[in-house]
Short mmCIF file of all heavy atoms in Angstrom, two decimals:
data_model
loop_
_atom_site.label_atom_id
_atom_site.label_comp_id
_atom_site.label_asym_id
_atom_site.label_seq_id
_atom_site.Cartn_x
_atom_site.Cartn_y
_atom_site.Cartn_z
N LYS A 1 -10.75 8.38 1.68
CA LYS A 1 -10.10 9.21 0.69
C LYS A 1 -8.57 9.38 1.00
O LYS A 1 -8.23 9.59 2.16
CB LYS A 1 -10.75 10.58 0.60
CG LYS A 1 -12.11 10.54 0.04
CD LYS A 1 -12.68 11.91 -0.10
CE LYS A 1 -14.06 11.82 -0.68
NZ LYS A 1 -14.65 13.15 -0.84
N ALA A 2 -7.72 9.32 -0.01
CA ALA A 2 -6.27 9.45 0.17
C ALA A 2 -5.94 10.84 0.72
O ALA A 2 -4.99 10.90 1.55
CB ALA A 2 -5.58 9.24 -1.17
N ALA A 3 -6.63 11.87 0.40
CA ALA A 3 -6.30 13.18 0.84
C ALA A 3 -6.52 13.31 2.40
O ALA A 3 -5.89 14.11 3.04
CB ALA A 3 -7.15 14.25 0.13
N GLU A 4 -7.38 12.46 2.94
CA GLU A 4 -7.67 12.51 4.36
C GLU A 4 -6.76 11.59 5.15
O GLU A 4 -6.79 11.60 6.36
CB GLU A 4 -9.13 12.06 4.61
CG GLU A 4 -10.16 12.96 3.96
CD GLU A 4 -11.54 12.39 4.01
OE1 GLU A 4 -11.73 11.26 4.58
OE2 GLU A 4 -12.47 13.06 3.52
N LYS A 5 -5.99 10.81 4.49
CA LYS A 5 -5.15 9.80 5.13
C LYS A 5 -3.68 10.18 5.03
O LYS A 5 -3.22 10.69 4.00
CB LYS A 5 -5.35 8.43 4.50
CG LYS A 5 -6.77 7.85 4.70
CD LYS A 5 -6.98 6.65 3.88
CE LYS A 5 -6.07 5.50 4.30
NZ LYS A 5 -6.40 4.26 3.59
N PRO A 6 -2.88 9.87 6.03
CA PRO A 6 -1.44 10.04 5.89
C PRO A 6 -0.88 8.97 4.97
O PRO A 6 -1.59 7.96 4.70
CB PRO A 6 -0.93 9.89 7.33
CG PRO A 6 -1.95 9.05 7.97
CD PRO A 6 -3.29 9.41 7.35
N PRO A 7 0.30 9.14 4.49
CA PRO A 7 0.89 8.07 3.63
C PRO A 7 0.97 6.74 4.43
O PRO A 7 1.14 6.78 5.62
CB PRO A 7 2.29 8.59 3.34
CG PRO A 7 2.30 10.04 3.66
CD PRO A 7 1.24 10.27 4.68
N LEU A 8 0.86 5.68 3.68
CA LEU A 8 1.07 4.36 4.31
C LEU A 8 2.56 4.15 4.45
O LEU A 8 3.35 4.56 3.59
CB LEU A 8 0.56 3.28 3.34
CG LEU A 8 -0.92 3.33 2.97
CD1 LEU A 8 -1.25 2.30 1.90
CD2 LEU A 8 -1.81 3.14 4.20
N VAL A 9 2.97 3.58 5.58
CA VAL A 9 4.36 3.22 5.80
C VAL A 9 4.51 1.71 5.82
O VAL A 9 3.83 1.03 6.62
CB VAL A 9 4.89 3.88 7.12
CG1 VAL A 9 6.35 3.44 7.37
CG2 VAL A 9 4.80 5.37 7.07
N ILE A 10 5.33 1.17 4.94
CA ILE A 10 5.53 -0.26 4.76
C ILE A 10 6.93 -0.60 5.31
O ILE A 10 7.94 -0.12 4.81
CB ILE A 10 5.40 -0.68 3.31
CG1 ILE A 10 4.16 -0.09 2.65
CG2 ILE A 10 5.49 -2.17 3.17
CD1 ILE A 10 2.84 -0.47 3.27
N PRO A 11 7.02 -1.46 6.37
CA PRO A 11 8.37 -1.82 6.91
C PRO A 11 9.05 -2.75 5.99
O PRO A 11 8.44 -3.59 5.32
CB PRO A 11 7.99 -2.41 8.25
CG PRO A 11 6.62 -2.94 8.10
CD PRO A 11 5.94 -2.02 7.12
N GLY A 12 10.42 -2.64 5.98
CA GLY A 12 11.23 -3.55 5.22
C GLY A 12 12.39 -4.04 6.03
O GLY A 12 12.46 -3.83 7.26
N GLN A 13 13.37 -4.67 5.35
CA GLN A 13 14.53 -5.16 6.03
C GLN A 13 15.64 -4.07 5.93
O GLN A 13 16.24 -3.86 4.83
CB GLN A 13 15.05 -6.43 5.36
CG GLN A 13 14.04 -7.57 5.49
CD GLN A 13 14.44 -8.79 4.69
OE1 GLN A 13 15.35 -8.75 3.88
NE2 GLN A 13 13.74 -9.89 4.96
N GLY A 14 15.83 -3.28 6.96
CA GLY A 14 16.83 -2.25 6.99
C GLY A 14 16.34 -0.92 6.48
O GLY A 14 17.06 0.06 6.39
N PHE A 15 15.03 -0.83 6.15
CA PHE A 15 14.40 0.41 5.66
C PHE A 15 12.91 0.22 5.72
O PHE A 15 12.41 -0.80 5.96
CB PHE A 15 14.83 0.73 4.21
CG PHE A 15 14.21 -0.20 3.23
CD1 PHE A 15 13.06 0.18 2.53
CD2 PHE A 15 14.74 -1.46 2.97
CE1 PHE A 15 12.46 -0.68 1.61
CE2 PHE A 15 14.13 -2.32 2.08
CZ PHE A 15 13.01 -1.93 1.38
N SER A 16 12.20 1.31 5.48
CA SER A 16 10.75 1.30 5.33
C SER A 16 10.51 2.21 4.09
O SER A 16 11.39 2.89 3.64
CB SER A 16 10.02 1.89 6.54
OG SER A 16 10.25 1.06 7.64
N PHE A 17 9.31 2.20 3.60
CA PHE A 17 8.96 3.21 2.58
C PHE A 17 7.54 3.68 2.82
O PHE A 17 6.72 3.01 3.43
CB PHE A 17 9.15 2.65 1.17
CG PHE A 17 8.17 1.62 0.71
CD1 PHE A 17 6.99 1.96 0.05
CD2 PHE A 17 8.43 0.29 0.84
CE1 PHE A 17 6.12 1.00 -0.39
CE2 PHE A 17 7.54 -0.68 0.39
CZ PHE A 17 6.38 -0.32 -0.26
N SER A 18 7.32 4.89 2.34
CA SER A 18 5.97 5.45 2.47
C SER A 18 5.42 5.67 1.08
O SER A 18 6.19 5.87 0.08
CB SER A 18 6.01 6.80 3.26
OG SER A 18 6.70 7.75 2.57
N VAL A 19 4.11 5.66 0.98
CA VAL A 19 3.40 5.86 -0.31
C VAL A 19 2.01 6.38 -0.03
O VAL A 19 1.40 6.00 0.96
CB VAL A 19 3.41 4.55 -1.14
CG1 VAL A 19 2.62 3.44 -0.42
CG2 VAL A 19 2.90 4.75 -2.55
N ARG A 20 1.49 7.14 -0.90
CA ARG A 20 0.09 7.63 -0.80
C ARG A 20 -0.87 6.70 -1.53
O ARG A 20 -0.56 6.21 -2.61
CB ARG A 20 -0.06 9.03 -1.37
CG ARG A 20 0.61 10.05 -0.55
CD ARG A 20 -0.20 11.32 -0.48
NE ARG A 20 0.48 12.30 0.37
CZ ARG A 20 0.22 12.39 1.67
NH1 ARG A 20 -0.71 11.68 2.21
NH2 ARG A 20 0.84 13.30 2.37
N GLN A 21 -1.99 6.46 -0.87
CA GLN A 21 -3.08 5.69 -1.50
C GLN A 21 -3.92 6.62 -2.33
O GLN A 21 -4.47 7.61 -1.78
CB GLN A 21 -3.87 5.00 -0.43
CG GLN A 21 -5.07 4.20 -0.97
CD GLN A 21 -5.73 3.45 0.13
OE1 GLN A 21 -5.10 2.70 0.89
NE2 GLN A 21 -7.02 3.68 0.31
N PRO A 22 -4.09 6.44 -3.64
CA PRO A 22 -4.89 7.38 -4.44
C PRO A 22 -6.35 7.31 -4.06
O PRO A 22 -6.90 6.30 -3.64
CB PRO A 22 -4.74 6.84 -5.87
CG PRO A 22 -3.57 5.88 -5.86
CD PRO A 22 -3.48 5.37 -4.44
N ASP A 23 -7.01 8.48 -4.20
CA ASP A 23 -8.44 8.61 -3.97
C ASP A 23 -9.15 7.62 -4.89
O ASP A 23 -8.88 7.56 -6.06
CB ASP A 23 -8.87 10.06 -4.22
CG ASP A 23 -10.33 10.26 -3.81
OD1 ASP A 23 -10.81 9.57 -2.90
OD2 ASP A 23 -10.98 11.13 -4.39
N GLY A 24 -10.11 6.85 -4.32
CA GLY A 24 -10.87 5.94 -5.09
C GLY A 24 -10.22 4.57 -5.27
O GLY A 24 -10.73 3.69 -5.95
N TRP A 25 -9.04 4.39 -4.67
CA TRP A 25 -8.32 3.13 -4.72
C TRP A 25 -8.15 2.63 -3.30
O TRP A 25 -8.22 3.39 -2.36
CB TRP A 25 -6.96 3.31 -5.37
CG TRP A 25 -7.04 3.65 -6.83
CD1 TRP A 25 -7.53 4.81 -7.35
CD2 TRP A 25 -6.57 2.89 -7.92
NE1 TRP A 25 -7.43 4.77 -8.73
CE2 TRP A 25 -6.83 3.61 -9.07
CE3 TRP A 25 -6.01 1.65 -8.06
CZ2 TRP A 25 -6.49 3.15 -10.37
CZ3 TRP A 25 -5.65 1.15 -9.31
CH2 TRP A 25 -5.95 1.92 -10.46
N GLN A 26 -7.86 1.34 -3.15
CA GLN A 26 -7.61 0.79 -1.87
C GLN A 26 -6.57 -0.33 -1.94
O GLN A 26 -6.36 -0.94 -3.00
CB GLN A 26 -8.93 0.23 -1.25
CG GLN A 26 -9.55 -0.85 -2.07
CD GLN A 26 -10.96 -1.10 -1.71
OE1 GLN A 26 -11.59 -0.34 -0.99
NE2 GLN A 26 -11.57 -2.17 -2.18
N ALA A 27 -5.95 -0.58 -0.80
CA ALA A 27 -4.90 -1.62 -0.73
C ALA A 27 -5.62 -2.98 -1.01
O ALA A 27 -6.74 -3.22 -0.59
CB ALA A 27 -4.26 -1.63 0.65
N ASP A 28 -4.93 -3.82 -1.74
CA ASP A 28 -5.48 -5.14 -2.12
C ASP A 28 -4.44 -6.18 -1.64
O ASP A 28 -3.48 -6.50 -2.31
CB ASP A 28 -5.69 -5.19 -3.65
CG ASP A 28 -6.33 -6.50 -4.09
OD1 ASP A 28 -6.29 -7.48 -3.37
OD2 ASP A 28 -6.97 -6.44 -5.19
N GLU A 29 -4.63 -6.64 -0.36
CA GLU A 29 -3.70 -7.57 0.20
C GLU A 29 -3.65 -8.91 -0.45
O GLU A 29 -2.59 -9.52 -0.55
CB GLU A 29 -4.07 -7.73 1.72
CG GLU A 29 -3.77 -6.43 2.52
CD GLU A 29 -3.95 -6.65 3.98
OE1 GLU A 29 -3.49 -7.67 4.51
OE2 GLU A 29 -4.54 -5.78 4.62
N GLN A 30 -4.77 -9.36 -1.04
CA GLN A 30 -4.72 -10.68 -1.75
C GLN A 30 -3.87 -10.57 -2.98
O GLN A 30 -3.09 -11.50 -3.23
CB GLN A 30 -6.19 -11.06 -2.08
CG GLN A 30 -7.07 -11.18 -0.88
CD GLN A 30 -7.44 -12.62 -0.58
OE1 GLN A 30 -7.08 -13.51 -1.31
NE2 GLN A 30 -8.09 -12.78 0.51
N ALA A 31 -4.00 -9.50 -3.73
CA ALA A 31 -3.15 -9.32 -4.92
C ALA A 31 -1.69 -9.16 -4.51
O ALA A 31 -0.81 -9.69 -5.19
CB ALA A 31 -3.65 -8.15 -5.75
N MET A 32 -1.47 -8.49 -3.39
CA MET A 32 -0.12 -8.27 -2.92
C MET A 32 0.53 -9.61 -2.64
O MET A 32 1.71 -9.91 -3.10
CB MET A 32 -0.15 -7.45 -1.62
CG MET A 32 1.20 -7.19 -1.03
SD MET A 32 1.12 -6.36 0.58
CE MET A 32 0.66 -7.73 1.62
N LYS A 33 -0.14 -10.47 -1.99
CA LYS A 33 0.36 -11.82 -1.69
C LYS A 33 0.54 -12.66 -2.96
O LYS A 33 1.57 -13.31 -3.17
CB LYS A 33 -0.55 -12.57 -0.71
CG LYS A 33 -0.52 -12.00 0.67
CD LYS A 33 -1.54 -12.67 1.59
CE LYS A 33 -1.68 -11.95 2.90
NZ LYS A 33 -2.75 -12.52 3.69
N LYS A 34 -0.48 -12.64 -3.79
CA LYS A 34 -0.47 -13.43 -5.00
C LYS A 34 0.71 -13.13 -5.90
O LYS A 34 1.32 -13.99 -6.47
CB LYS A 34 -1.77 -13.27 -5.80
CG LYS A 34 -1.84 -14.15 -6.99
CD LYS A 34 -3.18 -14.10 -7.64
CE LYS A 34 -3.21 -15.09 -8.78
NZ LYS A 34 -4.52 -15.18 -9.38
N TYR A 35 1.03 -11.82 -6.03
CA TYR A 35 2.07 -11.40 -6.96
C TYR A 35 3.37 -11.05 -6.25
O TYR A 35 4.22 -10.41 -6.83
CB TYR A 35 1.56 -10.26 -7.84
CG TYR A 35 0.34 -10.68 -8.59
CD1 TYR A 35 -0.91 -10.21 -8.28
CD2 TYR A 35 0.44 -11.66 -9.61
CE1 TYR A 35 -2.04 -10.63 -8.98
CE2 TYR A 35 -0.67 -12.08 -10.27
CZ TYR A 35 -1.91 -11.59 -9.95
OH TYR A 35 -3.01 -12.02 -10.63
N GLN A 36 3.52 -11.44 -4.99
CA GLN A 36 4.72 -11.23 -4.17
C GLN A 36 5.12 -9.75 -4.20
O GLN A 36 6.29 -9.43 -4.40
CB GLN A 36 5.81 -12.12 -4.71
CG GLN A 36 5.51 -13.59 -4.58
CD GLN A 36 6.65 -14.46 -5.13
OE1 GLN A 36 7.47 -14.02 -5.87
NE2 GLN A 36 6.63 -15.68 -4.69
N ALA A 37 4.16 -8.93 -4.09
CA ALA A 37 4.38 -7.45 -4.13
C ALA A 37 4.50 -6.93 -2.71
O ALA A 37 3.96 -7.51 -1.76
CB ALA A 37 3.24 -6.80 -4.85
N SER A 38 5.15 -5.77 -2.56
CA SER A 38 5.21 -5.09 -1.28
C SER A 38 3.86 -4.47 -0.96
O SER A 38 3.49 -4.33 0.20
CB SER A 38 6.27 -4.01 -1.33
OG SER A 38 7.53 -4.64 -1.71
N LEU A 39 3.17 -4.00 -2.00
CA LEU A 39 1.89 -3.35 -1.87
C LEU A 39 1.14 -3.37 -3.23
O LEU A 39 1.80 -3.32 -4.25
CB LEU A 39 2.12 -1.89 -1.41
CG LEU A 39 0.90 -1.05 -1.03
CD1 LEU A 39 0.15 -1.67 0.13
CD2 LEU A 39 1.35 0.35 -0.66
#
């Protein structure tokens, strides 16, 4: 559950960003790669 987890931190070039994962959702690494997305 997103409420039980701290925000995800995604490293970048010269910065990072944080974002919350919604409850009932999960990171989809395959879609991230396929669509050249950060997350």
Side-chain angles (χ1 to χ4, degrees):
K1 291 183 179 180
E4 297 170 0
K5 294 171 64 174
L8 301 172
V9 176
I10 311 301
Q13 297 174 349
F15 72 98
S16 297
F17 71 90
S18 66
V19 64
R20 289 218 178 269
Q21 178 175 305
D23 187 28
W25 293 66
Q26 59 197 12
D28 187 334
E29 291 187 44
Q30 300 251 355
M32 180 186 80
K33 290 175 188 174
K34 182 173 184 174
Y35 301 110
Q36 299 179 340
S38 305
L39 188 60

